[in-house]
Amino acid sequence: MKKVIMGNHAVSYGVRASDVKVISAYPITPQTQIVELLSEMCAKGELEAKFIAVESEHSALTACVGASAAGVRTFTATSSQGLLLMHEIIHWAVGARLPIVLVNVNRAVGPPWSIWTDQNDSLSQRDTGWLQLYCESNQETQDTIVQAFKIAESVMLPVMVVLDAFFLSHTFEIVDILEPEQVRPFLPPYKPKNRIDVDDPHAFGNLASPGEYFELRYMIEKAMEASRDVVRDVDREFEQRFGRGYGVVKPYRCDDAEIILVTSGTVASTARAVVDEMRGEGVKIGSLKIRVFRPFPFEEVYQVLSKTKKVAVIDRNISFGHHGIFYQEVKSALYGRTNVPIIGYITGLGGRDVTPRVIRSIAEKAMNDRNAEPDINWIGVKI
Amino acid sequence: MGEKITFKSFKEMPLCAMSIADMTYNFTGSWRNVRPYYDFKVSPCRLGCPAAEDIQRYIYLATQGDFEQAWKAIIESNPMPSVTGRVCFHPCMEKCTRKDYDQAINIPAVERAIGDMGLDNPKWIKKARATKKEKIAVIGGGPAGLSCAFYLARAGYPVTIFEAAAALGGMLRWGIPEYRLPNELLDRVVQSILESGPITVKTGTALGTDVALDMLEKEYAAVFVGVGLTRSRAMGVAGEEGPGVEHGLEFLRRVNGGEKVDPGKSVVVVGGGNTAMDVARCARRAGSEVTVVYRRTMNEMPAIADEIEEAEKEGVFFHFLAAPKTITRGGSGRVTVVFQQMKLGQPDESGRRRPVPDGDKTFTMEVDKLFTAIGEEGDAASFGKAVETDGALIRTKGAFGETLKAKIFAGGDIVTGAASVVEAIAAGRKAAERIGRMLSKQPEPAAEEPRTISIENINTAYFSKAKRTLPPRISVEAALEGFREIHAGFDEELLGRETARCFSCGVCNFCDNCWVFCPDVAVKRLDDQYEFNYDYCKGCLVCVTECPRSAISTREEGR
Amino acid sequence: MIEIRTHGRGGQGAVIASEILAEAFFREKKFVQAFPAFGVERRGAPVVSFTRVSDGEIRERCEIYEPDHLIVLDPILLDTINITTGLKEGGWIVINTNRESMDNEALGKFHVATVDANKIALKYGLGSRSAPIVNTAIVGAFAGATKLVGLDAVLDAVEEFVPLRKENNRKAAEEAYHAVAFISK
């Protein structure tokens, strides 16, 4: 059934459709409505899940770790400082190989306090071993939640689904809402191989000597690598079943493009409008949305970008001392395989609006910029 | 004990860190380098009690509503808590740890309440049968003798009490006024003791006149002498013999015997001890104007502070630093007393500053009656040659009232000089225990230095400040109308409120903190105790920190 | 694509108004998008929210700087901020006011419609005298003035989006739809 709902509620409906059994979360703007609606659903019995109220995000994720280790499907949502407070347990969930799904609503990190969007909170969790999927619409958000559980449970790694604060979280648009009965054949109940079970006791989280730890890390990386195919296949199966697919990356009018804008999140959506506008003016331009950030889709990115003449990466984030993070990733994906100039642009930090005009200015600047710039290109900064 | 498994390749490993098999080959308890263990100390109040009553324990039992067991816990050390709860000078409260936090627990009020419950529930005590053949004589039916008889009878020894007076109780009956210890209550206490075992009583039988100590020594397997101090000490002042001057104890004996006394309009009491206070307050009740004259200051008064305070409330005047010098009598029947003014000199052997005459300063009082209350002494003549005496007191050796004669034991004021009820009770019990060991040829227990705690060992974060609970009392006006008890006892609500204040120093009271805080779930809660599971205790000692009362100690492993 | 910007004050229901409007267009098979400009929401502070309507997928995910139409829930805002910034020539401005005429010169380039949404809201018991909730009435007025969306769709949207007093809100929207007055057409 199609309804006009906000992005946060699209998340809640995705969780409902996924038959989640334990939800634990701590409220934080701009995420709060996600768990508000979920707790309502639990209270009304629309979702047969245990909602565990806790006193911090650290505890929220810890509760999910415990529940997931006990063998049930778990979910939490957070944002910004909350995600950072979870950081210790973010690592734990990976090492314990727990298929938790977490939604992070991208919100800039303080100080100064900000409630508006940028990607530094989730990208600062880049090296923890979580899969990260960035969404651009409410429909994609709901659908990605469902996909995320299937992916997580097949590779036994946690998955973070990411959406922009306000530009998605609080934006109302039409969503074709998934019902649990529709989803069940796609996402069967979670049945872990190992779980905490009083009838079959084991020690968990043990001390691992140098003789064992290394191998366990190796296995995490192997699982991450294996997840590339899983992410792609799950999306394809989802598309076959529900008619909506999102891809690992989403190229738009790239086939003959001489310049390609690399984007993520809601900027990817707005950029497509700019591509159409400039194509109408005869500019051979395309855009590439990176939906799956971890595992990074090296091959897919290479396949698209190696055929163009120039790449402009738009980052709504910054790795202080080393450019935007998507820029770093794209460069390393293409390193040694092509000589296409890659130029990085940083914009939209702390919720600064990334309008078609801003994106167009990046495209126009990129067309004139000759080669890879050693310096960061700041778009819109008032200096 | 599980077995260690070694992986041959990483492919055998599980996805995450988890044991494949039983981990009991390597308990986490092996990490521990320090071990906590339950180690109950002796609470300071118990150390402060001459009778060593297990105060912490009976208060704890009362908090659990188990008054029968609480009463039994007291009876282990003291057969008459109803008495000591009323008249004891409660040195326990001086030691109470709570004194260093807000106010000491009102221990006597708790003891009195539980003691009175014991009197109201005669079924709580099971009468002991005479299981031993050795007969024992107890001379003197005061607190020392009653206590000794009680513990011997409980152990199965047939006991005969020889009492000079017509009724048992000694100083409790004759020396303490009814507003402090009602006769009717004392009768019940005595009755409860007599009913506890094979005790025969011979009243009106005085030592030295009706029975001789050396005869008893022959007839009985053991003899306990607890006759107390029977003679009032003389002041050594010219004119003290004669009308208008009376020993305070004589006066109290008449009052306690129910006589309607009339000491006259103005009365002076010489002395600063409990007898002086009792005499003064009894005289106030008879309508006299009373002045207590004491040769030192209020600070040196040996009387219980509460008694001094009550006497002041009841309108007794105090005149310090004065001692009678001469007493003369005029025709009016009144006595004229010349007092020497005193001052404090160097401390004497008791540590109190000795009073010395302040030059030749004197003053004169004309009163209807002068009571002396400067102490009592024993009647050495009554012992014959059966025991060695030291002045008018019996000389003992050791802590259990042993005299130089193997079969004769002694305790109470006749050994210590004028002391307290609780000390007499303790002496009686200790002698009884020693006699029992002697007759059954049991070895003496090894003396152990008791370990205790102080306020530094209490985790006061767990306690909120709360004032001492006071029992209801009658007004001073009502008190002066007769001999009603000043204080009522605690009802169960007040008892609950006051017992809840107890820190339970050094002794577990099942607060569950160790069990709750243990991060390794290594504390097991059994029916009546906790137990460490050392397989899993990692020695973090959170239990030690969070035990509010230092009932857990630690020791290093491998030592 | 139609882009509508709504101006109000915290507590008047401007954000919900933009959402009801989106829902109404959705019921007429349009693609829609609605969202507030996010500030620290405080009662009485100026609030802006946005509605996009299109026959196809809406890709722009940013605020609206050049709206086609304006909805103004508090006429005092006309004097305090430059509300018509970016408004396309010939666009509609639907204003909640009890004034019969507007002397704001800047409004001359636009179609201006007014409705006394406060009065209508109070008539149906929506909000208090000091803070009437006018969102349903103003959406009705917008539909009545612009005829961009039908009354039935508006009433259905009100039914869907308003949590309480659904019937009174419907009546307020309907009355405002008919009561809208035109200052310049």
Side-chain angles (χ1 to χ4, degrees), chain C residues 66-172:
Chain C
E66 292 171 4
D68 297 291
H69 309 294
L70 288 186
I71 295 174
V72 182
L73 275 66
D74 179 1
I76 297 164
L77 290 168
L78 291 170
D79 307 326
T80 53
I81 54 175
N82 198 357
I83 259 174
T84 55
T85 301
L87 179 61
K88 287 178 184 154
E89 216 165 304
W92 278 98
I93 310 178
V94 179
I95 307 173
N96 165 28
T97 180
N98 57 6
R99 280 183 272 178
E100 306 265 301
S101 64
M102 305 297 289
D103 50 7
N104 191 324
E105 239 179 70
L107 302 184
K109 296 185 278 181
F110 311 112
H111 300 297
V112 179
T114 64
V115 67
D116 192 348
N118 282 9
K119 194 172 131 195
I120 294 169
L122 289 173
K123 177 177 172 186
Y124 292 103
L126 307 174
S128 65
R129 186 153 295 281
S130 59
I133 299 169
V134 297
N135 50 12
T136 43
I138 202 78
V139 171
F142 180 85
T146 64
K147 299 291 190 292
L148 289 169
V149 64
L151 178 61
D152 287 347
V154 168
L155 296 182
D156 288 351
V158 166
E159 183 80 25
E160 173 77 20
F161 259 78
V162 173
L164 295 167
R165 294 179 181 236
K166 288 176 189 282
E167 192 48 39
N168 283 13
N169 275 294
R170 283 169 59 103
K171 282 181 181 160

Side-chain angles (χ1 to χ4, degrees), chain B residues 19 67 85 88 91 102 127 146 157 187 203 237 239 246 249 260 304 346 367 387 404 409 439 478 508 557:
Chain B
S19 66
F67 301 117
C88 188
D102 43 21
K127 180 164 183 162
L146 287 171
Y157 293 101
D187 290 340
T203 50
V237 170
E246 186 178 3
L249 265 186
K260 184 107 177 96
I304 299 171
Q346 294 304 308
V367 295
V387 290
L404 297 177
F409 294 77
L439 297 178
C508 177
E557 288 291 354

Side-chain angles (χ1 to χ4, degrees), chain A residues 6-304:
Chain A
M6 74 194 309
N8 278 337
H9 288 173
V11 173
S12 311
Y13 281 106
V15 172
R16 184 188 71 140
S18 303
D19 256 345
V20 168
K21 293 296 176 218
V22 169
I23 300 158
S24 183
Y26 189 78
I28 183 171
T29 300
Q31 166 278 119
T32 304
Q33 291 112 335
I34 296 175
V35 291
E36 261 176 13
L37 182 57
L38 284 171
S39 69
E40 251 178 65
M41 288 170 170
C42 290
K44 287 181 185 161
E46 292 168 13
L47 174 57
E48 279 180 45
K50 172 96 181 158
F51 191 99
I52 305 175
V54 286
E55 80 295 343
S56 78
E57 285 86 353
H58 188 280
S59 299
L61 187 53
T62 304
C64 288
V65 162
S68 184
V72 298
R73 191 170 284 158
T74 62
F75 173 82
T76 187
T78 189
S79 192
S80 186
Q81 319 291 134
L83 181 67
L84 304 184
L85 183 57
M86 286 178 175
H87 182 70
E88 182 201 3
I89 309 303
I90 288 281
H91 279 283
W92 193 275
V94 174
R97 303 298 298 271
L98 299 171
I100 299 164
V101 170
L102 177 155
V103 161
N104 182 68
V105 179
N106 271 145
R107 164 181 157 180
V109 173
W113 284 118
S114 169
I115 53 171
W116 296 276
T117 197
D118 77 31
Q119 298 169 325
N120 261 87
D121 54 354
S122 56
L123 290 175
S124 72
Q125 309 301 314
R126 172 175 69 173
D127 302 330
T128 56
W130 283 63
L131 280 73
Q132 287 195 3
L133 284 74
Y134 287 75
C135 300
E136 63 169 294
S137 74
N138 290 1
Q139 186 70 58
E140 181 183 2
T141 301
Q142 180 206 241
D143 296 349
T144 301
I145 299 288
V146 172
Q147 293 188 11
F149 280 109
K150 194 173 172 77
I151 296 163
E153 288 162 16
S154 57
V155 297
M156 294 304 281
L157 284 174
V159 178
M160 191 181 297
V161 178
V162 186
L163 53 147
D164 290 337
F166 300 112
F167 292 114
L168 215 51
S169 68
H170 284 58
T171 293
F172 282 72
E173 54 184 16
I174 303 159
V175 174
D176 193 349
I177 290 171
L178 289 167
E179 294 301 327
E181 310 79 67
Q182 284 176 276
V183 171
R184 213 160 283 139
F186 173 78
L187 179 66
Y190 174 47
K191 288 210 172 65
K193 195 167 153 235
N194 297 310
R195 65 185 186 91
I196 295 177
D197 179 359
V198 288
D199 296 326
D200 178 22
H202 292 272
F204 288 83
N206 332 34
L207 182 75
S209 71
E212 295 130 14
Y213 187 91
F214 201 0
E215 282 69 24
L216 288 166
R217 295 290 116 166
Y218 172 85
M219 286 154 74
I220 293 170
E221 173 56 22
K222 284 292 152 194
M224 187 60 102
E225 287 167 17
S227 73
R228 289 178 203 287
D229 289 347
V230 173
V231 172
R232 187 192 59 225
D233 294 346
V234 164
D235 185 58
R236 279 183 189 159
E237 189 190 335
F238 186 91
E239 184 168 11
Q240 283 161 12
R241 198 176 280 273
F242 300 106
R244 297 183 297 270
Y246 303 94
V248 171
V249 297
K250 185 173 178 183
Y252 184 69
R253 301 182 84 166
C254 286
D255 287 347
D256 63 338
E258 291 174 0
I259 181 165
I260 295 176
L261 304 173
V262 178
T263 57
S264 60
T266 52
V267 172
S269 176
T270 310
R272 266 177 236 120
V274 175
V275 166
D276 283 350
E277 183 184 296
M278 292 178 75
R279 280 272 179 183
E281 296 160 13
V283 180
K284 288 191 169 178
I285 187 167
S287 74
L288 177 70
K289 169 184 130 175
I290 297 180
R291 175 170 175 255
V292 179
F293 175 73
R294 276 291 179 275
F296 195 80
F298 288 98
E299 196 52 37
E300 289 85 346
V301 167
Y302 169 76
Q303 288 302 335
V304 175

Side-chain angles (χ1 to χ4, degrees), chain B residues 55-217:
Chain B
I55 297 165
Q56 172 279 326
R57 180 166 164 74
Y58 74 69
I59 290 182
Y60 164 70
L61 289 166
T63 62
Q64 303 304 299
D66 192 346
F67 301 117
E68 180 175 352
Q69 291 306 321
W71 182 79
K72 286 179 175 167
I74 304 178
I75 293 302
E76 287 300 309
S77 316
N78 169 8
M80 50 186 96
S82 287
V83 171
T84 45
R86 286 172 168 80
V87 305
C88 188
F89 70 111
H90 42 77
C92 50
M93 283 176 74
E94 286 301 307
K95 300 279 177 166
C96 178
T97 316
R98 186 115 197 174
K99 183 171 174 250
D100 299 319
Y101 184 63
D102 43 21
Q103 289 181 307
I105 305 289
N106 196 341
I107 297 170
V110 173
E111 184 187 33
R112 169 177 165 174
I114 296 170
D116 288 357
M117 288 184 199
L119 294 180
D120 292 340
N121 292 280
K123 281 183 185 159
W124 284 359
I125 194 155
K126 213 175 114 197
K127 180 164 183 162
R129 289 186 301 115
T131 54
K132 307 279 194 330
K133 58 181 188 309
E134 297 97 336
K135 293 190 296 172
I136 295 158
V138 169
I139 307 166
L146 287 171
S147 169
C148 187
F150 177 83
Y151 289 104
L152 285 165
R154 252 175 127 219
Y157 293 101
V159 179
T160 304
I161 300 176
F162 298 91
E163 166 60 43
L168 294 178
M171 280 292 270
L172 301 177
R173 182 171 300 279
W174 310 114
I176 298 178
E178 288 212 71
Y179 59 83
R180 287 176 65 198
L181 182 64
N183 283 344
E184 179 270 336
L185 181 109
L186 179 62
D187 290 340
R188 293 172 69 198
V189 170
V190 169
Q191 197 57 33
S192 75
I193 290 172
L194 298 183
E195 282 171 3
S196 67
I199 301 175
T200 311
V201 179
K202 292 192 175 175
T203 50
T205 310
L207 187 66
T209 51
D210 302 317
V211 285
L213 190 50
D214 48 6
M215 290 300 292
L216 294 175
E217 187 188 0

